[in-house]
Amino acid sequence: MIFIKFSFCPYFQFLWQAGGRLRPPSPPAIMHYSEHEAALLAEKLKDDSKFSEAITVLLTWIERGEVNRRSANQFYSMVQSANSHVRRLMNEKAAHEQEMEQAKESFKNALTGILTQFEQIVAVFNASTRQKAWDHFSKAQRKNIDIWRKHSEELRNAHSEQLMGIRREEEMEMSDDDSGDNPSKKLRVDDSALAAQAYALKEENDSLRWQLDAYRNEVELLKQEKGQLFRTEESLTKDQQLQFLQQTMQGMQQQLLSIQEELNNKKSELEQAKEEQTHTQAMLKVLQEQLKSAKELAEINGHDESQEINVLTVALVNQDREKNSEKRSPGLKSEKEALLIGIISTFLHVHPFGANIEYLWSYMQQLDSRISANEIEMLLMRLPRMFKQEFTGVGATLEKRWKFCAFEGIKTI
């Protein structure tokens, strides 16, 4: 017996060591509760890949009795995260069910396609066995064709039965869903709906009770931190008021800058208008003096010299008008003005000695009865390089005529 005992000792020792190696490893130790670990665990509960590990730690903490008045809010938020995972699981289940239905539908479509091809192949074999083609095959070929036909028919029938079975199952499921004549089934459905409603009400009741406890804990904490919170609110209110006042000041400053810019523009326009008015008045005085002297010279020297003075005076006026118009003349305002300029240019081109405004207006009245002489004269004055004004005659026979000068004006540009 002693020999047997000692001889089997190494064998038992081997079994004990092998059993130790085959034993599954012990689970890792659960860490102790702390606020930092609780925050990390709350993040893990929101992660699908780490939910199983995190829910185990949460269960261990609750069973250890880590829940107290101070930590109740954190545990409530973690339990709430666990409850939110239920909705994710239901959504995942619904997605898998939808994938399964899609897979069934694709399998049924593929099976239908395979069955259609089997029908075509069997049709080829049946056509080959007709006398018109069958007589031309050899005996060995006929034998092979007959074997192939039988095999194809067997496979076609098997696939057809499988497809019919799938369709029967679908019809049965649809009839089960649509049937409402069975009172026992209605009763089972009503009982299951009531049970689900009762379970939902129970969960809602528990959730409200936990929320009430959490609110009580929050009220106690708020009472302790009341003074500090009041100071924080006052500082926030002052900061908001200061920020609002700063934004209002910035808006007023921008408005003031825009108003100042507009005022400067108006001032510059007013100064320019005053300069033009002063220049026009000075030119008017010069013209009046020249006309006065021209009349005196006309009375003394005769008609020819007065005409030369008038021509010189008109040239000076036209030159000054050209300078002023270059400063302030805008472009053409409409297509109508372009048409008027073309017609007037043609008319004056065939009148090389010029035409007065009344003659020109009477011609334009035949084309457009709404046009006025003042409108024509303003248009001619705006284009001094195309049209120039000259005075002819003396005294009562003094007349203003407009001439077309574009061929001369283009050389001065």
Side-chain angles (χ1 to χ4, degrees):
M1 292 298 294
I2 296 173
F3 174 74
I4 293 172
K5 180 179 180 180
F6 283 100
S7 63
F8 280 94
C9 278
Y11 176 71
F12 287 117
Q13 185 176 5
F14 171 75
L15 289 178
W16 180 76
Q17 291 177 355
R21 286 195 298 269
L22 296 175
R23 190 184 304 118
S26 59
I30 304 298
M31 73 286 292
H32 292 284
Y33 170 78
S34 65
E35 292 184 357
H36 177 68
E37 294 294 338
L40 295 177
L41 186 64
E43 295 295 329
K44 289 181 179 180
L45 287 171
K46 296 176 183 178
D47 190 357
D48 293 340
S49 62
K50 300 179 181 178
F51 180 79
S52 300
E53 178 186 355
I55 199 71
T56 305
V57 176
L58 179 60
L59 177 62
T60 304
W61 284 354
I62 294 174
E63 290 177 351
R64 284 179 183 176
E66 299 290 348
V67 182
N68 52 35
R69 181 176 295 180
R70 191 76 179 179
S71 61
N73 291 333
Q74 288 183 335
F75 275 97
Y76 173 73
S77 63
M78 289 188 286
V79 171
Q80 191 175 11
S81 299
N83 184 43
S84 301
H85 193 72
V86 174
R87 291 193 294 271
R88 293 199 295 269
L89 292 176
M90 295 303 294
N91 294 332
E92 187 177 354
K93 178 187 174 185
H96 287 309
E97 288 178 352
Q98 186 177 3
E99 290 177 359
M100 184 178 68
E101 293 296 331
Q102 292 176 356
K104 285 183 179 180
E105 188 67 24
S106 62
F107 175 72
K108 186 178 74 173
N109 295 333
L111 193 60
T112 304
I114 292 172
L115 184 61
T116 303
Q117 294 180 9
F118 270 122
E119 293 287 349
Q120 294 173 351
I121 294 171
V122 171
V124 170
F125 287 137
N126 290 332
S128 299
T129 56
R130 293 172 186 169
Q131 188 175 3
K132 186 187 296 185
W134 187 255
D135 295 337
H136 298 285
F137 293 116
S138 64
K139 187 175 182 181
Q141 290 174 345
R142 292 176 185 176
K143 185 177 180 180
N144 290 332
I145 291 173
D146 190 43
I147 293 172
W148 294 341
R149 180 180 60 80
K150 291 179 180 179
H151 185 254
S152 299
E153 288 178 350
E154 290 176 358
L155 292 175
R156 182 198 62 183
N157 294 333
H159 283 80
S160 179
E161 288 293 331
Q162 187 177 3
L163 183 60
M164 293 301 295
I166 292 172
R167 290 177 178 174
R168 282 195 296 271
E169 289 179 1
E170 291 180 352
E171 291 175 358
M172 290 176 63
E173 289 178 358
M174 292 176 65
S175 62
D176 291 339
D177 293 336
D178 295 337
S179 64
D181 299 332
N182 192 355
S184 61
K185 184 175 180 180
K186 282 185 178 180
L187 185 60
R188 287 197 300 272
V189 172
D190 293 339
D191 291 340
S192 62
L194 290 173
Q197 188 175 5
Y199 180 72
L201 290 173
K202 183 181 178 182
E203 284 190 348
E204 186 176 359
N205 189 17
D206 294 338
S207 176
L208 291 173
R209 188 173 63 252
W210 292 337
Q211 288 182 5
L212 182 60
D213 295 336
Y215 289 151
R216 287 176 181 172
N217 295 329
E218 289 179 1
V219 168
E220 291 181 0
L221 293 173
L222 288 172
K223 287 180 180 179
Q224 296 175 2
E225 301 173 354
K226 183 177 180 180
Q228 183 178 0
L229 286 175
F230 282 159
R231 289 193 297 271
T232 305
E233 289 178 358
E234 289 177 358
S235 62
L236 287 174
T237 305
K238 290 181 180 179
D239 291 339
Q240 290 176 356
Q241 291 178 354
L242 182 60
Q243 187 177 3
F244 178 73
L245 290 173
Q246 288 178 353
Q247 291 177 356
T248 306
M249 288 289 292
Q250 289 178 358
M252 293 177 66
Q253 287 177 356
Q254 291 178 357
Q255 290 180 358
L256 183 60
L257 289 174
S258 62
I259 291 171
Q260 288 179 353
E261 187 176 357
E262 291 179 0
L263 182 60
N264 293 330
N265 293 333
K266 295 293 184 182
K267 285 182 179 179
S268 60
E269 291 177 0
L270 182 60
E271 290 177 357
Q272 186 177 0
K274 287 181 178 180
E275 290 178 359
E276 291 179 356
Q277 184 179 5
T278 305
H279 184 69
T280 305
Q281 290 177 355
M283 288 298 299
L284 183 59
K285 290 180 181 180
V286 171
L287 288 174
Q288 289 176 353
E289 292 177 358
Q290 288 180 356
L291 287 173
K292 186 177 179 181
S293 60
K295 288 180 181 180
E296 293 176 355
L297 289 173
E299 292 176 356
I300 297 171
N301 297 328
H303 180 69
D304 295 334
E305 294 181 358
S306 63
Q307 286 184 349
E308 294 177 359
I309 293 171
N310 288 334
V311 172
L312 180 61
T313 303
V314 171
L316 291 173
V317 172
N318 289 330
Q319 186 178 2
D320 185 68
R321 187 183 294 117
E322 289 178 2
K323 293 180 181 179
N324 292 332
S325 62
E326 288 177 357
K327 295 179 181 177
R328 63 176 185 275
S329 62
L332 297 179
K333 297 180 180 179
S334 63
E335 188 177 1
K336 181 182 177 182
E337 290 188 355
L339 291 172
L340 291 175
I341 291 170
I343 295 169
I344 293 170
S345 300
T346 307
F347 178 80
L348 293 178
H349 184 62
V350 299
H351 292 78
F353 299 105
N356 57 16
I357 196 68
E358 287 80 9
Y359 184 27
L360 185 58
W361 176 62
S362 64
Y363 172 75
M364 296 299 294
Q365 276 281 321
Q366 298 176 6
L367 302 176
D368 187 5
S369 60
R370 295 173 297 177
I371 196 167
S372 62
N374 188 23
E375 184 179 356
I376 297 173
E377 189 171 10
M378 293 297 294
L379 183 61
L380 295 174
M381 291 175 66
R382 282 171 51 195
L383 301 170
R385 294 186 182 276
M386 290 184 66
F387 308 102
K388 66 179 179 179
Q389 190 179 29
E390 291 184 356
F391 290 90
T392 60
V394 179
T397 62
L398 186 64
E399 184 183 12
K400 292 189 297 183
R401 289 191 178 186
W402 287 94
K403 288 186 178 182
F404 180 71
C405 63
F407 296 110
E408 300 173 2
I410 197 170
K411 298 177 181 180
T412 60
I413 296 176

